[in-house]
Amino acid sequence: MVPEHSELAVLRALGSTVRQAILEQLGQGPATSAMLARALDSNTGVTSYHLRELAKAGLVERDVTRGRAQYWRTVAGDVRFRDPQDSSAPALAQSVIDLRLAGLAASVDGYLRRDDLSPAWRDAALFSQATLTLAPEELAELARAYLELVGHWTDAARDRSAVADHRAVRLALFAFPTDGTAPDPKE
């Protein structure tokens, strides 16, 4: 989560499919409300309102480096969620996680259907799953290392315009204890 803002404010901001779509678009780079409206087949009034709501939650900010036009950009390199059972608003947290997972599944499906990516991008893409045996403090250590790595690449990516063939890359990590049962190989 973005530390300066309340969990409830962030969850409320992310509880909208329009705001999720705006964040997805801003993940590609800074944009104006008009640019977002065109991309989302909406209007600037709607996108401006949702941008302000995302800004209140600390998820986006005005990009003042872009001159007179009012560009917006994402603030955080990652958005973290607590276990919904530990949330101050468990139903809202579960709803937001469901929206994010649906968006992630759609994003993976979109990637798999693309035919315009170079072999270099195809070779660099990663789909990985691992099962580790960890204690809670080890999982917390793994999470800290992951967030440090994301932070490094977030800071390095603030201005990638000088790098050839740069693109927004979706990164997701799920780390939680399993129920300890192995799947039935016949299923």
Side-chain angles (χ1 to χ4, degrees), residues 1 10-16 20 79 81 90-102:
M1 279 295 167
V10 172
L11 289 173
R12 284 184 178 147
L14 293 174
S16 159
Q20 297 265 348
V79 177
F81 297 96
L92 181 56
Q94 186 62 56
S95 174
V96 169
I97 288 171
D98 290 345
L99 276 174
R100 301 291 286 194
L101 288 173

Side-chain angles (χ1 to χ4, degrees), residues 20-56:
Q20 297 265 348
I22 288 172
L23 286 174
E24 180 76 20
Q25 288 294 314
L26 290 177
Q28 306 298 314
T32 66
S33 62
M35 293 164 70
L36 292 166
R38 280 190 299 277
L40 301 175
D41 196 25
S42 186
N43 65 64
T44 57
V46 169
T47 55
S48 292
Y49 167 76
H50 287 295
L51 282 165
R52 288 190 304 272
E53 293 300 306
L54 288 165
K56 285 180 194 173

